[in-house]
Amino acid sequence: MFSGKYILSPMVRVGGLPFRLTCLDYGADLVYAEEVIAQRLLKCTKILNETLDTVDFLDEDGGVCFRTTSKESDKVIFQMGVSDPDVAAQAAQMIEPYVAGIDVNMGCPKDYSIKGNMGAALLTQPELIKKILCKLISVCSKPVTCKIRILESEEETLSLCKEIESTGVAALAVHGRTRFTRSSHPCNYDIIQKIKSIMSIPVILNGASLDINNRSDMTEMIKKTGVDSIMIARAAWYNPSIFRDPEPVSVREAVQKFMKYCIDYECPLHILKYTMGKFRGAFKDNQSSLEVTRHIETRLIYNYFGLGDYYNEVASKRTSDIQEEFQKKKRQKLGEDYKILQAEITPTILQSFRGMIAPRQILNQWLEANGFSKPKYWTTEHNKIFTGYLQIDNDTYAMEGNFKNKKTATQAVSYAYCLKHHIELRHYKTGARTLSQSNCQCKNGG
């Protein structure tokens, strides 16, 4: 399963379902999902999302921790961050039916991993590594692998690899840099060759993106180092069609495919923006890049890439029985006199207005400039979750969501109203005149 493969490496915030499916379409043989902390997974609720045809593991606040679909079930490897063998086993048993394999992250150099005794912190604890891997192998029917970085000394690195092999793992992925080496520094191919020479299990090369421009480069790298497979991260982020044989397509074409999957599987706006940050050549120029990534409405980003109609078409079709029942319950709960606003509102969106003119202030200024009466705001609370209300003249609007305080709820209902009525939301510093002040339309003009 892990020999002769061209593999997508796990990448935090990038390796979600839309990106994985895009890489599979362009020829990736396996795709590693972004790392999920095992303790976090154990707190999740699993649901079958009939609207998207996915299996979702939801956090306590309703956010998606991990989402997968049958399109990738035999290709996706779930990677966990963990420091406790029993916790690893519980998490693996929870996720195993929906993935092709389980991987343990033993190479992440980030502070959150190190402080949690996970990731690269495990590299100097071979006995704990063996306990985690042996425990996983004992409870899993799917292959178990791990991904490491090299250590400061060659001797320690080779010794660790043999210790890992002794546990019975199906394969070992090795990033050819230490935990202290920046990604801009060359990958150490010599140590990779030496690791392969002493191992009987498949060895997967990771860290070669600086030297990879197409699938042929990957093939040559496999030959050069003698490894069994290759795993690519940054080069795939720059252009997810890098797995395509013989050559990748244009970045813009690959991005359009990725964005279609984002629409299909409801990729959150902050993830979409983050992923777009490394798509080299997707924009006409730097100014276009800045303008698009500043948008705080998903639809506007899709419009830039010619997918506005597709976005609207998919959105209009999402009227499943589950959603209809959900909206029915909303109407019953809020009362028929309220107009329910719908918008994609995440904490990241609202937090982006810190130090800026907030949506409520932008709306108030727009209403005043266009001859509306002064709006009224209030909230209701149920189980410590707030619903925001907005009354403008004789119309009352409600915005439900997972809002933890009154301020957030009223900002959310203001934000949603602005989107519905095409009132431009921009990030203006406090004290600046907004576009709503300087370029208002009259009330009758819409």
Side-chain angles (χ1 to χ4, degrees):
M1 178 178 177
F2 294 97
S3 294
K5 304 297 185 184
Y6 300 79
I7 304 169
L8 174 67
S9 180
M11 286 185 282
V12 174
R13 291 193 297 276
V14 177
L17 181 59
F19 194 82
R20 299 196 304 267
L21 292 177
T22 302
C23 291
L24 285 173
D25 282 353
Y26 283 119
D29 297 304
L30 296 171
V31 287
Y32 277 58
E34 61 178 314
E35 177 196 31
V36 173
I37 305 303
Q39 286 280 16
R40 177 186 175 192
L41 184 70
L42 294 181
K43 297 176 182 178
C44 287
T45 300
K46 185 197 75 178
I47 68 164
L48 300 178
N49 189 328
E50 295 182 11
T51 302
L52 305 183
D53 192 25
T54 59
V55 177
D56 296 348
F57 290 83
L58 304 182
D59 288 319
E60 294 174 302
D61 63 0
V64 177
C65 171
F66 179 73
R67 171 173 286 162
T68 187
T69 176
S70 58
K71 293 179 181 178
E72 65 165 7
S73 58
D74 61 340
K75 304 285 188 181
V76 62
I77 307 298
F78 179 85
Q79 188 186 68
M80 70 172 73
V82 69
S83 61
D84 183 284
D86 293 329
V87 171
Q90 293 175 51
Q93 289 174 308
M94 187 174 176
I95 201 76
E96 186 182 18
Y98 310 102
V99 298
I102 305 292
D103 183 79
V104 180
N105 182 348
M106 299 182 181
C108 180
K110 300 295 185 182
D111 283 346
Y112 73 87
S113 282
I114 302 300
K115 290 177 181 177
N117 201 33
M118 301 178 293
L122 294 172
L123 294 175
T124 56
Q125 304 175 75
E127 290 305 314
L128 179 55
I129 286 177
K130 290 167 69 174
K131 287 178 181 178
I132 292 172
L133 294 177
C134 287
K135 185 69 174 183
L136 283 171
I137 292 168
S138 70
V139 301
C140 291
S141 59
K142 302 286 179 67
V144 174
T145 64
C146 69
K147 181 173 179 289
I148 68 169
R149 284 178 175 252
I150 60 175
L151 296 166
E152 292 296 331
S153 82
E154 178 180 306
E155 182 181 355
E156 289 177 317
T157 301
L158 297 177
S159 174
L160 176 62
C161 291
K162 292 302 289 183
E163 293 275 17
I164 290 172
E165 182 182 41
S166 71
T167 65
V169 291
L172 172 64
V174 183
H175 188 132
R177 296 180 180 86
T178 71
R179 58 173 282 196
F180 304 106
T181 308
R182 294 183 177 275
S183 59
S184 58
H185 292 186
C187 180
N188 187 337
Y189 298 120
D190 291 338
I191 190 65
I192 300 292
Q193 288 177 304
K194 292 176 180 178
I195 291 170
K196 176 55 190 172
S197 70
I198 65 168
M199 302 287 278
S200 58
I201 60 173
V203 174
I204 305 168
L205 166 64
N206 181 227
S209 282
L210 289 176
D211 303 308
I212 300 294
N213 294 302
N214 51 45
R215 191 180 179 95
S216 296
D217 289 341
M218 295 187 221
T219 303
E220 287 302 312
M221 196 62 67
I222 290 174
K223 293 178 180 178
K224 173 183 175 180
T225 58
V227 296
D228 299 273
S229 297
I230 189 167
M231 176 185 282
I232 296 299
R234 290 178 182 271
W237 192 358
Y238 299 150
N239 186 340
S241 70
I242 196 161
F243 297 99
R244 183 176 178 268
D245 191 15
E247 292 291 333
V249 300
S250 70
V251 177
R252 189 174 180 86
E253 182 178 338
V255 169
Q256 285 179 318
K257 178 183 282 288
F258 163 70
M259 288 195 163
K260 272 198 168 187
Y261 278 130
C262 287
I263 295 170
D264 292 341
Y265 294 104
E266 297 183 344
C267 178
L269 177 61
H270 66 287
I271 297 296
L272 174 60
K273 283 182 161 187
Y274 182 82
T275 307
M276 288 169 58
K278 286 288 193 297
F279 286 148
R280 294 179 174 175
F283 302 95
K284 296 176 184 177
D285 49 47
N286 288 338
Q287 185 61 33
S288 297
S289 172
L290 289 173
E291 285 296 320
V292 173
T293 53
R294 280 174 180 165
H295 284 316
I296 55 175
E297 187 178 353
T298 308
R299 175 179 56 84
L300 298 178
I301 296 177
Y302 293 131
N303 281 343
Y304 178 83
F305 287 94
L307 294 171
D309 290 342
Y310 182 72
Y311 173 79
N312 292 332
E313 176 187 345
V314 171
S316 67
K317 288 180 179 179
R318 290 198 170 135
T319 54
S320 68
D321 292 341
I322 292 177
Q323 289 177 313
E324 288 178 358
E325 183 65 20
F326 180 59
Q327 295 301 330
K328 181 180 178 182
K329 289 179 179 178
K330 269 189 176 182
R331 289 191 291 272
Q332 291 172 346
K333 179 179 176 182
L334 297 175
E336 296 293 343
D337 293 336
Y338 298 117
K339 296 181 180 180
I340 300 168
L341 296 171
Q342 294 181 335
E344 178 187 354
I345 300 178
T346 66
T348 304
I349 290 175
L350 296 178
Q351 289 169 7
S352 69
F353 286 94
R354 287 180 178 174
M356 305 290 177
I357 298 178
R360 178 170 169 174
Q361 186 177 351
I362 292 173
L363 175 58
N364 289 347
Q365 293 171 349
W366 187 90
L367 291 171
E368 181 182 358
N370 284 275
F372 289 89
S373 62
K374 186 176 180 180
K376 297 179 180 178
Y377 300 90
W378 70 95
T379 62
T380 58
E381 182 266 336
H382 179 69
N383 291 334
K384 298 183 180 180
I385 299 298
F386 290 84
T387 297
Y389 296 86
L390 165 66
Q391 183 178 340
I392 301 174
D393 291 334
N394 296 321
D395 294 323
T396 302
Y397 302 86
M399 179 68 200
E400 275 198 324
N402 189 36
F403 306 122
K404 302 296 179 66
N405 55 60
K406 294 179 181 180
K407 181 178 179 181
T408 303
T410 56
Q411 291 294 349
V413 72
S414 304
Y415 177 92
Y417 183 91
C418 288
L419 291 186
K420 178 177 175 64
H421 293 85
H422 307 294
I423 300 170
E424 188 166 10
L425 287 159
R426 291 268 184 159
H427 292 86
Y428 294 94
K429 290 184 178 180
T430 303
R433 291 192 354 166
T434 68
L435 187 63
S436 304
Q437 290 175 288
S438 59
N439 188 27
C440 292
Q441 297 174 308
C442 68
K443 181 174 180 178
N444 293 333

